[in-house]
Amino acid sequence: MKSLRERLAQFDRPPRRTAVAGVVRGNEPLRALLDRGARWVGSAPDGYLRMEADVDGLAPPHQVVGARACRRLAAVEPLGDHWVVLDTETTGLESGTGTFVFLIGLLHWSPEGARRVQLFLPEPAGEESLLSALVEELADADLIVTYNGRSFDVPRLRTRLRLQRLDADVLERPHLDLVHPARRILRTWLAGVRQVDLEYHLLGLDRDDDLPGSHAPEVYRTLLADGLDAGLGEVVDHNARDVDRLARLATWFARCVGDDPPEGLPGSARMAVARLLAHRGESDEARVHVCRLVEDSDRAVALAARRMLAHLLRRQRRFAEAAREWETIVAAAPLDVDAHVEWAKLCEHRLGDLERARDVVQRALRAAIDRRRLDPSAPARRADLLHRLQRIERRRGRGGGIDGVGAH
Amino acid sequence: MNLQQLISWLRSDESFGRNVRLWHTVPAAAARTVDFPEALDPRLRSALVERGIPSLYTHQARAIEQAEAGRDTVVVTPTASGKTLCYNLPVLQRCLGDPEARALYLFPTKALSQDQMNELHGLIEAMEADIKTYTFDGDTPAAARRTIRSSGHVVVTNPDMLHQGILPHHTAWVKLFENLRYVVIDELHHYRGVFGSHVANVIRRLQRICAFYGSNPTFICCSATIANPEEHAARLLGRPAKLVDDNGAPRGTRHLVFYNPPVVNAELGIRRSVIKEAVRIARPFLETGVQVILFGRSRVRVELLLTYLRQQMVKLKRPADRVRAYRGGYLPNERRAIEKGLRDGKVLAVASTNALELGIDIGQLDVCIMAGYAGTVASTWQQAGRAGRRRSESMAILVASSAPIDQYVIEHPEFFLESTPEQAIIDPDNLAILLNHLKCAAFEIPFAHDERFGDNNATGEMLQYLADNRVLSRSGDKWHWMADTYPAEDVSLRSAVVENVVIVDTTRQRQVIGETDLLSAQLLLHDDAIYLHQGRQYHVDQLDWERKEAYVREVKVEYYTDAQSKGEIHALDEFEREPERLGARAHGEIGLITKATMFKKIKLGTHENLGAGRIHLPELEHHTTSYWWQLPPELEDRMRAEDLSLGDGLKGLANLVAQVAPLFLMADPADVRSVPMIKSPMTGGPTLFVYDTYPGGVGFSRKLFDLHPIVLEAAHERLHSCACEHGCPSCVGSVLEAGDRAKSSTARLLALARADEDHDHRQLMIAGS
């Protein structure tokens, strides 16, 4: 008769263990953290560890980022000057109630300076006091700043708070999640937009000797299951760098949408910034950015910029200027049927210049035909162009007989 | 001719009548009603009256009374008895009185949920009440999910979604769990066997989470007729439920007919094919234009029914596509279209497997023809129940196949009419199933050190085992989830095996036309099989076992294929042992290996054998529970001395047990298998194994172990009431199968086991006839 254990082992597959980088140290597993200044709040098993440090070299957020940048980057309005940068380490990537947060990194960023607080959970029984501490830390936050926090960190924390029956309202603060503007602006430039990639490409900062974030869960499991330190110090250091550098990244992104954009940004990224500003309804600002690009050495970028400029001008009801831009575009790109059409629309509906409108549509028809010769898969456009032409002719008072266009 | 006239005509028709073994008429019944309860919300009252419901049937009133008193209830009434009102009414009453109240509805499949919700939606609309009902399942778009979580009053889902999509994320469903007042579980009898054992555990987890949020909902369950509804409900819910079964709904006259196709070869005892006979019987009904449903026992049979039915339609000069087939393996939108066609009358006849046995709303039909016995009394009544409208006449015809159990039932209709339906069996504490759900539960809420999960004392030990595997971590006085996996993902509620084989049609463009489980795939989708799907034939060009994909191509051929498999047993563990008069019986765990071996090509129409082929696929292995009867080794010599064969006796016994087992259990014949071994490596002697085909076992063999003496008694009864001389498929198996001394040897075995003094007397009787 097999024991229960033997019977369980027959059909159960234990989970695979991922390899752990780093040295496994003995006896006092929390030594590395204590050496970094951690102190107990409460005691084992239901207490937690707290580390605090000042961070130098960071000017206050309202100076280097500001509410205007928050609006532009993420349509978010901070409630004041006390911002909190937030990053967590969890036992896994899954959502759901079984994943929990064992390390919370916070950077209090305000006119008083920058102060980092890290809360570490030596074992699950301490979760309630850890989360209560988090609630206190966030109590005065006017803005939460994260990287992918909307999809990841905040929902996980919300779940943990609910499981401990604590009020999760403190998480419902204005939230600047930089992953979204990062993707919008940098998508065509950088292959990956993980935070470490941005640190490297944008800030020129590397992460030497850093423990990859993906190893953190296994390090923590080793602590709980075996009582050993497989890199706890490194996990805490990694988390500290995450929050510190995120503040610097916020500064960088703020410059992108501000008056003094960072150098070295390729045209496509700068175009993306302009689009973002236009999307946020900041047409003047967008126009400023775009005007800088219309003479770019990269022809594709220059043309894209000029097209956008034309749209912006029209949006601002500066129709004659917009029409001139389209004219320039058409001269540079004679096969661009859309550009012709935009120009013709302005002439017809806004500038009352029907003669010009007709000429432009006729040129558009020829452009469409030429285009198809080069690229048979391009859309024909004949029908809608002819329709436009007919309408213009009607308005000019001539019926029937379309002039200048034979059967092609 | 209308249906009533046709039924009268059939009654008097000699060529039909001579094959009829039973014509059982259930007279029409008038409604038995009760006034609405005093406290019923006036809006609900007028909405019901508006919809043609001026009062309640007796069973509805009783069920509602129980539910509102907070007692878990199980309602057992047939289809078309208005059972949905038994739960919709208490739920609506509560929601009208309390805008925060919530209810959870569980249906076995998505299809069912869509249909059963019609009544609820209709009432809500009629009342113009602000009660929101939402279906939450795999197809619910992400944008809708947040709304459903916060503001859905009634959330409709299925056990799989509850298991994977809701319970592990319960913190996103706080409003639901804090305010949950009712949990409705429809088609309770469907939760049996493996699936039922899983669902019982999902319900345990649900109850645990409700307790965490401080709610204690009342469960309202609906079940088809089974022998043990109260026991079954109690096992599923983990606590007792009150039974309501006094059906007060009206019904028209119903005719139940047992029909045995005539013998066409007296020497070999071969009868006309059940499939073709069923279609022949269907023909006059088709001509009349009444809606007919035909049930076939397997997917292959259903496709054959469809083929022959369409031929009939062509002869009747009617559109062949008014006849459809319906089974699992079809894609969901195909099934929806057929269901709708049945409801609105465009589909005249449908051939189905038991997939349509469930309460899917296809309206009521006029005639049901069962091509072959469904395997259980309960299933038969369920299938027959598909025919029968409230106020008009209807007919259900059981056409027997040549299978032994069919022949037994058809020739002994009193057995059928007098027998109680079978029991629904589950084993929620099946170790493999329990462990998986324990993991899921620990993921959901940490376990307190003295908490019990399930009806056993093993929880603490299992938690420790999981901690040793670094899945859980003990901290303070609780066990916390520690792994980085998501346990619900790895647990399929329907089997121990998660994988399916996907069927890809390569005729024009590559297109997935369905999927099927691994064992069926080996039998239906092996290389060179002819796979039937919606009446179309496909040749299986290749079954890529590695990738679990089958590539098929549409063809038109004159044959179909039928595959066979064999199994091997090796023993793993023994849980219990009881000495018997002859040998001993035991119950424990075995390892089972099945292998698909070969297939036959069979010509359509004549059913002659055109050829065969081998199947080259890997073995499938799993562990399961089994009961076995171990006989003393000296028995072999003893029987040889009497000019009998132990080997034949064992084979005969195995066949008999396989036939009688379904008499006691609500198992499909495929759920239990019996295998004789003249010399088992495990016991060292002659042994009969009877095992659960589901991995891990779900209680069937365990039950048979308990019922052993009764099983032997039933086998004895079957053997001696059979008129054959040396053995036939209806008892011990044909002479070719079991040996030419099977009948007498088996009889002797049973006599020895039962210490039967009358045995020798009967032997003389048999010898003399």
Side-chain angles (χ1 to χ4, degrees):
Chain A
M1 180 64 175
K2 293 209 172 98
S3 72
L4 178 62
R5 187 164 284 269
E6 284 170 301
R7 288 169 60 202
L8 290 172
Q10 259 166 13
F11 51 72
D12 185 43
R13 277 193 326 257
R16 280 197 313 273
R17 288 179 63 159
T18 45
V20 178
V23 175
V24 178
R25 284 167 281 245
N27 274 350
E28 231 196 310
L30 300 174
R31 181 81 265 155
L33 300 187
L34 297 169
D35 287 345
R36 281 166 173 71
R39 54 181 177 77
W40 275 95
V41 177
S43 56
D46 49 15
Y48 69 95
L49 289 180
R50 185 187 182 90
M51 285 152 280
E52 296 193 26
D54 286 319
V55 175
D56 298 321
L58 263 182
H62 69 275
Q63 276 178 18
V64 289
V65 183
R68 188 183 68 174
C70 291
R71 275 196 295 277
R72 289 177 176 175
L73 289 169
V76 160
E77 192 73 53
L79 300 170
D81 290 338
H82 179 169
W83 297 13
V84 177
V85 181
L86 178 69
D87 187 62
T88 60
E89 298 301 328
T90 62
T91 54
L93 295 175
E94 300 289 347
S95 66
T97 47
T99 300
F100 71 92
V101 177
F102 66 85
L103 176 60
I104 304 175
L106 304 130
L107 182 71
H108 288 280
W109 195 13
S110 70
E112 278 90 61
R115 184 164 180 73
R116 187 198 320 124
V117 173
Q118 287 175 291
L119 309 173
F120 178 80
L121 187 68
E123 60 179 304
E127 199 186 21
E128 197 186 339
S129 39
L130 180 101
L131 292 175
S132 300
L134 171 70
V135 170
E136 271 184 51
E137 294 293 328
L138 288 177
D140 296 326
D142 294 318
L143 180 74
I144 296 175
V145 182
T146 66
Y147 199 75
N148 202 25
R150 292 188 85 108
S151 310
F152 189 76
D153 307 77
V154 168
R156 299 294 178 277
L157 286 170
R158 197 179 285 125
T159 298
R160 300 319 308 173
L161 285 163
R162 287 202 184 138
L163 278 170
Q164 292 292 348
R165 307 183 201 274
L166 293 169
D167 196 329
D169 280 347
V170 78
L171 295 171
E172 309 308 321
R173 297 295 160 93
H175 184 157
L176 175 64
D177 183 345
L178 288 170
V179 78
H180 301 295
R183 282 192 195 128
R184 284 182 95 114
I185 296 172
L186 304 170
R187 190 180 39 209
T188 51
W189 177 31
L190 296 180
V193 289
R194 294 173 310 154
Q195 186 175 336
V196 292
D197 298 325
L198 301 192
E199 290 171 16
Y200 180 72
H201 289 285
L202 307 179
L203 304 178
L205 294 175
D206 214 334
R207 292 243 196 169
D208 312 310
D209 297 323
D210 190 59
L211 181 92
S214 55
H215 288 225
E218 192 58 29
V219 168
Y220 190 63
R221 261 193 284 287
T222 310
L223 173 68
L224 289 183
D226 306 324
L228 296 174
D229 175 359
L232 286 171
E234 284 81 354
V235 171
V236 164
D237 291 341
H238 173 87
N239 177 256
R241 271 185 216 110
D242 276 342
V243 291
D244 293 353
R245 292 193 179 174
L246 189 56
R248 292 182 210 281
L249 283 172
T251 309
W252 186 91
F253 277 103
R255 284 183 64 195
C256 267
V257 293
D259 307 320
D260 171 32
E263 302 206 347
L265 218 55
S268 60
R270 290 156 67 197
M271 271 303 297
V273 171
R275 264 187 227 109
L276 177 58
L277 289 165
H279 180 68
R280 298 277 179 236
E282 301 238 19
S283 301
D284 280 327
E285 194 60 37
R287 209 161 41 80
V288 168
H289 282 249
V290 139
C291 282
R292 290 194 202 115
L293 288 168
V294 293
E295 303 296 340
D296 197 274
S297 52
D298 181 337
R299 194 170 163 274
V301 169
L303 267 177
R306 201 174 284 280
R307 286 193 191 98
M308 188 169 181
L309 178 60
H311 279 296
L312 285 168
L313 286 167
R314 189 196 48 132
R315 211 197 278 182
Q316 294 185 315
R317 306 188 75 83
R318 292 155 71 159
F319 300 122
E321 290 174 72
R324 271 199 294 282
E325 293 301 331
W326 287 120
E327 190 172 359
T328 312
I329 293 166
V330 161
L335 295 189
D336 185 347
V337 177
D338 287 320
H340 285 84
V341 170
E342 290 298 324
W343 188 14
K345 272 160 53 176
L346 284 170
C347 294
E348 183 189 348
H349 299 294
R350 303 291 183 184
L351 302 173
D353 187 349
L354 292 173
E355 290 279 340
R356 178 78 66 105
R358 189 198 57 178
D359 289 339
V360 172
V361 175
Q362 285 171 342
R363 286 167 66 179
L365 275 165
R366 279 192 285 274
I369 292 162
D370 291 338
R371 183 100 192 267
R372 268 185 64 107
R373 251 193 232 121
L374 289 174
D375 174 13
S377 70
R381 311 294 299 270
R382 269 201 88 196
D384 66 59
L385 290 172
L386 284 174
H387 177 78
R388 197 173 286 279
L389 194 56
Q390 279 166 349
R391 188 183 61 231
I392 294 172
E393 293 293 12
R394 262 200 316 274
R395 292 176 69 176
R396 287 186 71 219
R398 290 208 212 145
I402 295 161
D403 166 279
V405 180
H408 284 268
Chain B
M1 204 191 300
N2 67 21
L3 179 59
Q4 202 165 6
Q5 293 166 324
L6 180 52
I7 293 177
S8 308
W9 179 81
L10 276 174
R11 256 215 126 112
S12 54
D13 177 43
E14 220 235 292
S15 64
F16 185 78
R18 80 170 78 101
N19 299 316
V20 168
R21 297 288 174 270
L22 170 76
W23 192 300
H24 177 73
T25 304
V26 180
R32 279 176 298 136
T33 60
V34 163
D35 283 333
F36 290 129
E38 284 280 331
L40 190 67
D41 190 298
R43 289 170 284 180
L44 192 45
R45 184 189 293 259
S46 44
L48 286 165
V49 170
E50 216 176 296
R51 291 169 71 81
I53 303 173
S55 54
L56 294 175
Y57 298 133
T58 44
H59 63 283
Q60 290 170 329
R62 185 106 182 89
I64 289 162
E65 189 193 314
Q66 297 285 5
E68 293 193 332
R71 288 192 278 269
D72 297 328
T73 307
V74 53
V75 181
V76 180
T77 54
T79 47
S81 63
K83 67 175 171 148
T84 51
L85 205 59
C86 295
Y87 51 77
N88 283 332
L89 205 145
V91 167
L92 286 173
Q93 173 79 354
R94 181 63 83 106
C95 288
L96 285 170
D98 172 11
E100 296 298 307
R102 299 279 189 270
L104 184 68
Y105 280 35
L106 277 182
F107 293 101
T109 63
K110 184 185 158 128
L112 259 180
S113 63
Q114 282 172 345
D115 305 314
Q116 301 290 30
M117 296 312 287
N118 285 332
E119 181 187 78
L120 189 63
H121 291 147
L123 284 169
I124 293 174
E125 257 177 55
M127 294 190 291
E128 287 173 14
D130 179 26
I131 298 174
K132 302 186 187 65
T133 73
Y134 296 115
T135 302
F136 190 85
D137 61 30
D139 295 340
T140 305
R145 291 181 184 211
R146 189 179 301 172
T147 313
I148 297 173
R149 284 190 201 113
S150 55
S151 50
H153 292 93
V154 178
V155 175
V156 180
T157 187
N158 57 66
D160 304 84
M161 194 63 183
L162 184 63
H163 155 67
Q164 267 202 13
I166 298 180
L167 296 179
H169 301 274
H170 60 85
T171 51
W173 292 85
V174 176
K175 289 219 82 169
L176 175 74
F177 288 117
E178 278 181 347
N179 299 295
L180 194 59
R181 302 284 167 246
Y182 287 111
V183 176
V184 171
I185 307 182
D186 206 349
E187 308 297 341
L188 200 73
H189 57 286
H190 187 61
Y191 300 120
R192 61 179 192 266
V194 164
F195 186 41
S197 306
H198 275 290
V199 173
N201 279 282
V202 174
I203 293 174
R204 280 173 179 161
R205 285 159 52 198
L206 170 64
Q207 290 167 335
R208 196 167 171 256
I209 287 173
C210 287
F212 180 80
Y213 288 103
S215 66
N216 183 16
T218 303
F219 284 78
I220 309 176
C221 311
C222 291
S223 172
T225 308
I226 52 177
N228 58 340
E230 268 168 308
E231 180 194 62
H232 186 56
R235 258 200 226 118
L236 265 170
L237 301 179
R239 53 203 210 198
K242 293 217 76 67
L243 178 65
V244 171
D245 62 0
D246 182 26
N247 181 18
R251 53 166 194 277
T253 311
R254 291 205 182 154
H255 303 273
L256 175 64
V257 174
F258 277 23
Y259 181 99
N260 205 355
V263 173
V264 292
N265 182 324
E267 218 182 285
L268 299 172
I270 297 179
R271 293 179 181 269
R272 275 216 283 252
S273 138
V274 62
I275 303 278
K276 294 164 88 176
E277 197 68 2
V279 172
R280 276 184 72 248
I281 293 171
R283 188 185 156 138
F285 295 108
L286 293 174
E287 244 179 315
T288 314
V290 300
Q291 283 185 307
V292 183
I293 178 166
L294 295 94
F295 282 104
R297 275 213 307 262
S298 67
R299 297 178 191 179
V300 173
R301 300 242 176 105
V302 166
E303 296 288 350
L304 283 174
L305 278 170
L306 181 70
T307 307
Y308 297 144
L309 276 169
R310 288 204 166 147
Q311 287 171 0
Q312 286 297 328
M313 292 295 275
V314 167
K315 287 192 193 136
L316 288 171
K317 297 198 179 24
R318 284 179 195 233
D321 66 0
R322 285 190 75 194
V323 177
R324 308 294 302 273
Y326 187 104
R327 59 171 174 80
Y330 288 172
L331 295 173
N333 53 340
E334 282 177 304
R335 296 167 77 168
R336 291 306 83 70
I338 297 170
E339 286 155 28
K340 184 163 181 304
L342 281 168
R343 275 199 301 271
D344 60 30
K346 292 206 181 65
V347 173
L348 188 63
V350 65
S352 171
T353 57
N354 61 5
L356 248 187
E357 225 176 84
L358 299 183
I360 293 172
D361 183 11
I362 53 170
Q364 286 299 101
L365 306 179
D366 300 295
V367 175
C368 162
I369 302 176
M370 297 170 267
Y373 178 57
T376 66
V377 171
S379 300
T380 305
W381 283 115
Q382 268 241 295
Q383 289 181 355
R386 280 293 177 187
R389 305 184 194 262
R390 292 230 171 130
R391 291 167 221 292
S392 55
E393 232 168 313
S394 67
M395 194 162 179
I397 307 171
L398 170 59
V399 182
S401 75
S402 58
I405 193 166
D406 285 41
Q407 284 302 309
Y408 184 80
V409 169
I410 212 81
E411 296 293 341
H412 297 89
E414 72 285 352
F415 147 74
F416 180 85
L417 287 178
E418 287 159 23
S419 70
T420 50
E422 297 78 357
Q423 303 189 14
I425 306 279
I426 58 171
D427 183 8
D429 290 334
N430 168 309
L431 212 53
I433 295 176
L434 183 66
L435 184 69
N436 275 323
H437 287 279
L438 184 68
K439 287 184 195 169
C440 294
F443 182 93
E444 284 152 11
I445 302 173
F447 265 88
H449 73 277
D450 55 356
E451 201 181 331
R452 259 170 50 141
F453 186 74
D455 193 24
N456 60 78
N457 290 321
T459 308
E461 213 180 320
M462 291 172 82
L463 291 169
Q464 183 62 53
Y465 165 84
L466 289 173
D468 293 342
N469 277 343
R470 300 166 117 248
V471 172
L472 299 181
S473 159
R474 182 154 182 172
S475 172
D477 61 352
K478 295 226 173 102
W479 302 87
H480 298 257
W481 184 261
M482 201 37 55
D484 62 356
T485 52
Y486 182 65
E489 211 166 48
D490 293 331
V491 180
S492 157
L493 299 188
R494 283 148 214 284
S495 67
V497 179
V498 180
E499 287 184 286
N500 268 348
V501 167
V502 173
I503 308 164
V504 182
D505 176 8
T506 58
T507 313
R508 284 163 278 276
Q509 294 168 324
R510 283 175 63 115
Q511 199 196 354
V512 171
I513 56 173
E515 54 179 74
T516 182
D517 62 275
L518 295 187
L519 187 55
S520 299
Q522 289 205 339
L523 299 175
L524 295 179
L525 293 164
H526 56 86
D527 291 351
D528 288 329
I530 298 296
Y531 178 68
L532 301 172
H533 184 90
Q534 275 291 356
R536 285 196 283 269
Q537 297 170 317
Y538 294 86
H539 178 263
V540 180
D541 293 332
Q542 189 203 3
L543 173 57
D544 186 342
W545 191 252
E546 283 295 309
R547 302 182 55 195
K548 302 292 185 292
E549 286 176 2
Y551 303 104
V552 304
R553 199 180 16 102
E554 220 175 309
V555 293
K556 250 185 154 49
V557 295
E558 289 301 306
Y559 66 94
Y560 67 96
T561 56
D562 195 17
Q564 289 162 12
S565 69
K566 70 172 173 47
E568 253 178 57
I569 300 176
H570 50 270
L572 294 177
D573 200 356
E574 190 177 294
F575 304 152
E576 267 182 82
R577 174 172 279 266
E578 285 280 337
E580 288 291 309
R581 202 159 198 292
L582 195 63
R585 67 181 152 119
H587 172 246
E589 211 165 323
I590 58 167
L592 193 66
I593 300 180
T594 47
K595 188 160 169 57
T597 49
M598 47 133 345
F599 66 97
K600 290 191 235 174
K601 291 186 182 175
I602 301 181
K603 190 158 159 87
L604 282 169
T606 64
H607 292 198
E608 43 175 294
N609 201 321
L610 293 178
R614 297 196 51 163
I615 301 178
H616 302 280
L617 286 169
E619 299 174 336
L620 292 175
E621 171 163 8
H622 61 259
H623 299 169
T624 188
T625 51
S626 172
Y627 113 82
W628 56 94
W629 183 22
Q630 194 177 329
L631 298 168
E634 53 277 12
L635 196 54
E636 191 168 6
D637 292 331
R638 180 170 167 187
M639 287 183 78
R640 197 176 301 128
E642 294 176 25
D643 200 27
L644 296 170
S645 158
L646 177 59
D648 290 0
L650 272 176
K651 283 187 212 150
L653 185 62
N655 284 329
L656 275 174
V657 169
Q659 287 171 48
V660 302
L663 295 177
F664 308 102
L665 309 171
M666 199 157 175
D668 294 323
D671 289 336
V672 173
R673 216 158 273 159
S674 64
V675 174
M677 284 190 169
I678 191 72
K679 193 176 165 76
S680 149
M682 180 167 108
T683 63
T687 312
L688 175 69
F689 288 91
V690 180
Y691 62 84
D692 281 55
T693 47
Y694 281 112
V698 284
F700 296 126
S701 55
R702 157 94 234 187
K703 193 82 182 186
L704 290 173
F705 170 80
D706 290 337
L707 295 174
H708 176 82
I710 305 176
V711 173
L712 289 190
E713 195 60 44
H716 168 89
E717 162 68 32
R718 172 70 60 88
L719 188 151
H720 287 286
S721 62
C722 189
C724 72
E725 224 178 289
H726 299 296
C728 74
S730 296
C731 60
V732 298
S734 74
V735 163
L736 293 170
E737 227 185 291
D740 51 15
R741 283 170 292 174
K743 188 158 186 183
S744 41
S745 304
T746 309
R748 185 77 178 118
L749 258 181
L750 286 168
L752 288 170
R754 296 169 62 250
D756 188 354
E757 293 85 22
D758 286 338
H759 166 77
D760 294 321
H761 173 72
R762 262 198 291 273
Q763 274 291 79
L764 292 168
M765 297 282 290
I766 289 169
S769 60

